Amino acid sequence: GDQGRIEISLHRGSKVNAGDPVTLLANIPGLGLAAITTTWRIDRIEGLTVFTTPEEPPTGAPQPGYIAQIDSSAQTAGMAEAESGAAPAADAHMPDVPFKPVDPSPAAENLYLAAENLMSEGKFDEAAPLLRQAAGQYHGHAMTELGALYAFGKGVPRRPDAALAWQELAAKYGEPDAYLRLGLMHMTGQGGTANIPLGSEMLHKAAAYGSAQGMYLLALLYEDGTGVPANEREMVSWLRESADYGYGPAQLVMGQLFLDGDAGVARDRGK
């Protein structure tokens, strides 16, 4: 708007006060998120929209989709998106991204990497909005990581239904971790009733997409006959493949099989 005024749409449940300072972050290709030097202040609040003015002439021109970091005593620093005219989702925690078989943009990758850095520092509440933005730009890794946050209630409310929905969307993009998490969720009944056959099917898909952990878990299913017929040969086959992918637990079990000569594996102390 005039003189650098901007409107910011808040996430549902956000609480802010008039006068709160706002820092905008621009997504710069090749650099990632970078803060605009200018500080804005909230003038007034109308529902989920806040109206802000800059403290001095802006050093950058905000665009729809920029991230707004609000430092508020009403709530720990929260994230919002610059108003782009889109109506808020009916349930802000559930996916509102239609499946579209496209590769994520460099901007989406930058958002995802910024979120990964924040999560490595334990800042899940700051990472979650970045993951959601990247997911909105068809970034499969961001979708499955966001689903994991909902599964454990880190930075977002614990919502098994949202966790399941995000993993199902990520799986459409062929994400091995999404199939792995779906397998575990269906096996244990997270987000609904336990479905062992469907869980084993998802773990098969995780393994097919190269998940070493999925291969290892499949081996355990074939050992116990859970969701699949008990089959010692299949168990060893999946253990070998997982070990070849460098998965430590599978290497440990294969080492023990070679030491003891169990499960049809010839004893070989050298291996």
Side-chain angles (χ1 to χ4, degrees):
D2 295 340
Q3 300 175 344
R5 285 193 291 265
I6 61 170
E7 298 177 16
I8 300 169
S9 58
L10 299 174
H11 294 288
R12 291 184 181 278
S14 299
K15 296 180 180 179
V16 297
N17 293 321
D20 284 342
V22 178
T23 302
L24 292 186
L25 296 100
N27 188 31
I28 300 175
L31 179 62
L33 290 174
I36 293 177
T37 304
T38 305
T39 298
W40 278 259
R41 293 267 174 193
I42 296 177
D43 287 336
R44 70 183 194 277
I45 306 164
E46 295 181 5
L48 291 177
T49 303
V50 298
F51 299 84
T52 70
T53 54
E55 293 186 337
E56 57 189 19
T59 59
Q63 302 295 323
Y66 276 23
I67 293 293
Q69 175 98 38
I70 303 175
D71 185 9
S72 178
S73 60
Q75 175 179 299
T76 55
M79 292 292 218
E81 294 182 10
E83 178 60 60
S84 61
D91 185 336
H93 301 294
M94 300 295 283
D96 55 0
V97 185
F99 174 68
K100 188 176 181 181
V102 296
D103 293 328
S105 66
E109 180 68 12
N110 285 338
L111 287 166
Y112 170 73
L113 293 175
E116 286 284 287
N117 287 335
L118 289 168
M119 288 191 290
S120 70
E121 299 171 0
K123 299 177 180 178
F124 299 102
D125 56 334
E126 296 181 32
L130 301 187
L131 288 175
R132 189 175 188 95
Q133 280 195 78
Q137 298 178 41
Y138 314 107
H139 197 292
H141 287 313
M143 294 173 188
T144 188
E145 291 298 330
L146 186 57
L149 295 189
Y150 278 112
F152 295 102
K154 290 183 177 291
V156 292
R158 187 176 181 277
R159 287 278 302 270
D161 58 337
L164 187 64
W166 279 110
Q167 299 301 352
E168 287 174 341
L169 181 59
K172 292 181 179 179
Y173 288 88
E175 289 295 323
D177 285 346
Y179 282 116
L180 174 66
R181 287 163 172 159
L182 281 172
L184 293 172
M185 293 180 78
H186 287 304
M187 296 289 288
T188 58
Q190 295 181 51
T193 305
N195 188 329
I196 303 299
L198 180 57
S200 65
E201 179 186 336
M202 292 296 103
L203 290 179
H204 270 97
K205 289 185 176 181
Y209 276 102
S211 169
Q213 188 177 356
M215 298 169 190
Y216 175 73
L217 293 175
L218 268 185
L220 300 184
L221 296 187
Y222 278 109
E223 179 184 24
D224 297 334
T226 303
V228 293
N231 188 316
E232 195 173 71
R233 182 175 294 180
E234 283 289 323
M235 176 196 77
V236 173
S237 175
W238 284 115
L239 278 175
R240 285 180 184 272
E241 191 160 355
S242 179
D244 288 343
Y245 268 79
Y247 191 61
Q251 293 171 333
L252 178 64
V253 176
M254 281 304 305
Q256 195 65 50
L257 292 180
F258 280 120
L259 281 176
D260 300 336
D262 283 342
V265 177
R267 190 174 185 217
D268 187 328
R269 295 185 65 84
K271 287 187 178 180

